[in-house]
Amino acid sequence: MIEVENLKMRFGSEEILKGISTVFEQGKTNLIIGQSGSGKSVMLKCLIGLLKPEAGIISYHNKPTQEMNLNQQRMLREEIGMLFQGGALFDSMTIEENIMFPLRMFSNQSRSEMLLRVNEVLSRVNLDGVNTKFPAEISGGMQKRVSIARAIVNNPKYLFCDEPNSGLDPKTATVIDNLIQRITHENNITTIVVTHDMNSVMEIGERINFLKNGLLVWNGTQEDIFKTKNEDVTDFVYSSNLFKKIRDVQNS
Amino acid sequence: MKYLEDIGSYFLMLRRTFSGFTKADVLRELIFKEINDLVMSSLGIVSFIGFFVGGVITLQTALNLTDPIIPKELIAYATRQSIILEFAPTFISIIMAGKVGSFITSSIGSMRVTEQIDALEVMGINSLNYLVFPKVIALLTYPFLIAIAMFLGIFGGLIAGVYGGFISLDEFIRGLQEDFIPFHLVYAFVKTYVFAFILATVPAWHGYYMKGGALEVGKASTKSFVWTSVLIILANYIITQLLLS
C-alpha cells in the first residue's frame, strides 16, 4: 500500500501538483488518469523518487520515504518495478541481458539460476525464443512485454507503469493491460498505472484517481466512474464517440 | 550565472561519480568494454594521424632549414620536440575530443532521452557511477595511445626525412638523441592524464544533463566538443606554465 498526503510539486513558478492526498491499495491496479498536462507523470515520478516533491508525505507500507535513510531508500528501490512509456530497455544489451540486469545488480545468484529466472519471466509475458535479440530487433509491443519482464524479475512489491499502452494497437494494448492485472493479482503487489486511455480504465481500473490541473478531483472504482456526476470526469470519459454512443444506447 | 551553475553541477556530478559504487564484477566488465570502445577503437585513427603528421613535421622543418650552416640533425630534434611536447598529447587529445567526446555525449544523451538513465535510477543504481566512472578508469589507459602516437610520429618523420632525401638515417638518429630531457616525457604524460580526465568527464556532463530529444543530443555533442577542446587548451597552458617555465 502506498499513501500520499498533501503532495505538492512546482517547476519554477508553475504549480504542477497542488496538494494531492490518496491511497494506492495493495493487490489492485490503481489508475491515475487525466488529460495531458494534468500532472499524472509528475506525480508518478514523485512516487518513485525521480523527482523530489516540494511538500507532502509519501509512505510505503506506512513508512514515510522522508524518514528513510539512504540504505532504506536503496532497499525500497529494489522492491520497485517500473514500466516506462518507451520501454527504456538498454539498447546495447540483448533481451536476456536486459531482464537479467536487476538480478545481476541485486542478487548473488549464479548465471544458470539467473538464466532460469529470465526464461521463467519471459514465458510469463508470452515471449519465448527472443533471448539473444536486441531491443531494436523486436516490435514495440514485444518491447513493452520485455520491459514488464524486467520490472517483475526481482519480484517487486510495487509496480509502476507510465502509459503502458502508448503507441500500441488496441489488441496489443489489451494484452499488456491484462498482463499487468494478472501480475498484480498473482503476486499481490501494489500497481500504479498512469494512463489517459479509457480502454485501460475499462480493462484494469480497480481504483481510479482522476487528476485535473494538479488536483485530485475524483477517485473511485470502475463502476463508479460511469455513475459519477462530476463534470470533469464525465467530460473526460465521454470525450470519445464510442463511449458517447454506449451512453446513448444505455439511456435509450 | 548560468556558467557558475554549470561548473557547480559538474563538480556535483564528479562527487556522485566517485560514490555509491556499482557491484564490482559489473564495474569490471564495464571498464573493459569502455577500454575497447574508447581507447582500442581509436588505435587506427591515432596511428594514421600520428604517422603522417610526424612525416609532415619533418618535411616542413627540412624545407624551411635551407641554410647549410644549420646542422641537419636539427630536423630530427625539431620533429622529436614537436611530437613529444605538443603534437601527441595535445593535438591528438583535440581529435579525441571529437571522436571519443562526441561518442560519450551522444551515448549518454540518448540514454537520457529514452529514459534509460531514469530506469537505472529507479532500480536504485547510481547512474553516474555506472555510466561515468568506468569511462574515467578506462581513459587511464589513454597515455598508451599517446605513446603510440609519439612513436609513430617520430617513425613517420624518419621515413619522410630519410626516404625523402632530406637527412641520412645516422643524422636523424643523432638528432633524436640530442639534448634529450627525460622530464619532457613526464610533462607530456602528466598532461595526457589531465586531458584524459577532461575527455571522460566533460562530454559525460553534457550528455547526462542534456534536455530535449534527438536534435538536442546532436547539439549537446557539438557543445561538448567545443568545451572539451577549450578546457584541454586551457589545461595545456596551465600545466606548461607550472611544469616547464
Side-chain angles (χ1 to χ4, degrees):
Chain A
M1 184 180 71
I2 301 171
E3 273 176 281
V4 176
E5 227 180 293
N6 197 27
L7 187 67
K8 287 181 182 174
M9 180 70 195
R10 66 166 69 232
F11 293 132
S13 59
E14 199 182 345
E15 216 176 352
I16 309 294
L17 301 176
K18 301 169 183 167
I20 292 177
S21 300
T22 188
V23 176
F24 300 104
E25 292 174 27
Q26 186 177 349
K28 287 187 176 167
T29 42
N30 301 272
L31 265 54
I32 304 173
I33 63 169
Q35 290 172 335
S36 299
S38 56
K40 309 183 293 289
S41 293
V42 172
M43 185 174 174
L44 189 80
K45 285 183 176 175
C46 287
L47 291 175
I48 55 179
L50 283 178
L51 289 174
K52 196 167 181 267
E54 185 196 355
I57 300 167
I58 299 165
S59 305
Y60 281 75
H61 275 100
N62 300 322
K63 177 90 179 158
T65 51
Q66 289 89 335
E67 289 175 15
M68 291 180 187
N69 60 32
L70 278 177
N71 200 34
Q72 286 171 320
Q73 282 179 13
R74 217 193 62 229
M75 280 166 69
L76 172 67
R77 293 232 166 148
E78 288 174 28
E79 293 177 343
I80 289 176
M82 171 86 191
L83 169 60
F84 284 88
Q85 196 172 350
L89 297 174
F90 303 121
D91 307 321
S92 56
M93 296 181 192
T94 61
I95 301 304
E96 186 177 285
E97 287 165 343
N98 259 289
I99 300 170
M100 205 185 273
F101 188 79
L103 294 175
R104 285 194 66 196
M105 285 293 177
F106 304 115
S107 78
N108 292 317
Q109 294 176 23
S110 67
R111 195 178 157 75
S112 55
E113 285 172 322
M114 286 193 273
L115 211 55
L116 210 68
R117 176 70 183 145
V118 168
N119 289 330
E120 193 184 313
V121 287
L122 269 176
S123 26
R124 203 150 170 218
V125 296
N126 301 320
L127 270 180
D128 292 301
V130 294
N131 296 43
T132 54
K133 288 194 162 92
F134 282 91
E137 294 170 341
I138 58 174
S139 69
M142 286 162 101
Q143 284 184 20
K144 286 273 166 72
R145 278 189 275 169
V146 173
S147 191
I148 294 174
R150 186 178 68 181
I152 61 167
V153 74
N154 249 352
N155 289 321
K157 285 186 184 164
Y158 313 96
L159 180 64
F160 294 88
C161 309
D162 189 8
E163 306 207 6
N165 296 333
S166 66
L168 298 180
D169 63 88
K171 200 174 169 187
T172 313
T174 308
V175 171
I176 300 288
D177 279 340
N178 292 333
L179 193 58
I180 291 169
Q181 191 163 47
R182 187 156 56 88
I183 288 163
T184 305
H185 290 162
E186 283 175 8
N187 295 10
N188 192 30
I189 57 180
T190 309
T191 298
I192 299 176
V193 180
V194 162
T195 185
H196 48 219
D197 181 3
M198 272 310 292
N199 289 325
S200 289
V201 176
M202 294 298 293
E203 286 287 341
I204 57 172
E206 290 174 291
R207 291 292 310 173
I208 302 158
N209 295 275
F210 183 84
L211 258 59
K212 192 186 177 190
N213 298 329
L215 284 168
L216 181 73
V217 292
W218 181 88
N219 67 0
T221 63
Q222 196 184 71
E223 292 77 37
D224 298 338
I225 202 165
F226 293 101
K227 294 174 193 160
T228 180
K229 301 282 181 226
N230 186 309
E231 267 184 38
D232 293 322
V233 180
T234 50
D235 280 353
F236 179 81
V237 172
Y238 298 110
S239 57
S240 100
N241 280 336
L242 176 68
F243 282 94
K244 266 184 211 159
K245 279 181 184 162
I246 292 171
R247 180 181 57 180
D248 294 344
V249 168
Q250 280 177 337
N251 288 346
S252 63
Chain B
M1 195 62 189
K2 173 83 171 63
Y3 287 123
L4 280 178
E5 270 178 35
D6 288 349
I7 291 167
S9 93
Y10 172 76
F11 284 104
L12 285 174
M13 178 195 88
L14 290 184
R15 199 178 70 178
R16 271 196 68 203
T17 299
F18 293 96
S19 60
F21 279 87
T22 309
K23 232 177 163 183
D25 62 323
V26 177
L27 263 187
R28 192 173 53 234
E29 204 175 282
L30 285 170
I31 289 167
F32 282 119
K33 187 182 170 294
E34 297 292 358
I35 289 175
N36 185 50
D37 288 349
L38 305 179
V39 180
M40 299 310 284
S41 71
S42 306
L43 208 54
I45 185 80
V46 166
S47 304
F48 177 79
I49 295 172
F51 182 82
F52 282 100
V53 173
V56 169
I57 290 172
T58 302
L59 287 181
Q60 293 277 20
T61 314
L63 291 171
N64 284 288
L65 291 179
T66 48
D67 195 328
I69 300 171
I70 300 173
K72 290 271 178 66
E73 285 86 345
L74 192 64
I75 297 170
Y77 174 83
T79 303
R80 183 198 75 202
Q81 289 299 86
S82 311
I83 287 172
I84 289 181
L85 292 178
E86 284 309 318
F87 165 70
T90 313
F91 189 69
I92 291 286
S93 295
I94 301 283
I95 292 166
M96 286 297 108
K99 187 188 177 287
V100 171
S102 301
F103 170 73
I104 292 174
T105 305
S106 55
S107 58
I108 296 181
S110 305
M111 287 185 77
R112 168 64 73 202
V113 171
T114 54
E115 296 179 307
Q116 291 175 48
I117 292 179
D118 287 345
L120 286 170
E121 289 289 330
V122 169
M123 286 179 205
I125 295 160
N126 176 358
S127 57
L128 277 168
N129 179 263
Y130 180 84
L131 294 171
V132 186
F133 182 76
K135 290 176 174 57
V136 175
I137 300 300
L139 280 174
L140 288 177
T141 59
Y142 179 60
F144 163 73
L145 264 190
I146 299 303
I148 286 178
M150 285 176 182
F151 171 77
L152 286 174
I154 291 170
F155 183 66
L158 184 146
I159 300 287
V162 173
Y163 290 94
F166 298 102
I167 185 171
S168 71
L169 183 62
D170 281 348
E171 284 171 325
F172 196 91
I173 304 280
R174 267 203 310 278
L176 279 186
Q177 293 169 338
E178 210 163 273
D179 288 337
F180 177 67
I181 302 167
F183 183 72
H184 283 177
L185 274 180
V186 175
Y187 156 77
F189 283 113
V190 164
K191 68 180 187 181
T192 299
Y193 274 114
V194 175
F195 298 162
F197 189 77
I198 293 172
L199 274 175
T201 54
V202 174
W205 180 85
H206 277 96
Y208 193 85
Y209 292 103
M210 64 142 294
K211 287 187 175 83
L215 185 65
E216 281 73 18
V217 175
K219 283 182 184 167
S221 297
T222 312
K223 259 174 130 178
S224 134
F225 170 67
V226 171
W227 279 106
T228 308
S229 306
V230 166
L231 288 172
I232 284 172
I233 300 289
L234 277 176
N236 188 31
Y237 179 81
I238 294 166
I239 295 166
T240 307
Q241 185 76 31
L242 287 173
L243 296 184
L244 291 188
S245 67

